[in-house]
Amino acid sequence: MAKKDSKQIAWEVFKEIEPLWKKQPNTIYAIRVVMPQFDNGINIFFEWNKIGRATVSREVASYDSGSVDTVMDAVVVLKTKYNLTVNLYK
């Protein structure tokens, strides 16, 4: 299978979160990227919460640990092109 580039990964993630992103007032939306500590994969979550309520989190994508650089480039694309808030956790 061909290796994906950062624009393909960014498009896949955006396609997955688009139905969840309802753009309601007083709601905070963000993407959380959990980086591997050892040899685990990279997980990407979409989170939203109304102000004063608990945060809802849903996994939207998972990639192997060998594609860290490509996923980090995709994070930059998500921030700039789609204007999304992205939080990184290691």
Side-chain angles (χ1 to χ4, degrees), residues 71-86:
V71 171
M72 294 310 295
D73 292 340
V75 164
V76 172
V77 171
L78 288 168
K79 283 182 179 180
T80 57
K81 185 175 180 182
Y82 300 114
N83 197 22
L84 292 167
T85 303
V86 179

Side-chain angles (χ1 to χ4, degrees), residues 56-71:
V56 179
S57 181
R58 184 150 318 152
E59 183 179 10
V60 293
S62 182
Y63 299 98
D64 64 345
S65 60
S67 58
V68 171
D69 295 332
T70 310
V71 171

Side-chain angles (χ1 to χ4, degrees), residues 6-36:
S6 59
K7 289 182 182 179
Q8 287 175 326
I9 291 175
W11 175 246
E12 286 177 358
V13 171
F14 186 74
K15 230 173 33 176
E16 289 292 321
I17 67 170
E18 194 173 26
L20 304 172
W21 193 8
K22 301 192 192 303
K23 299 180 184 175
Q24 296 177 344
N26 296 325
T27 305
I28 299 169
Y29 298 97
I31 293 176
R32 180 168 43 117
V33 179
V34 181
M35 304 296 287

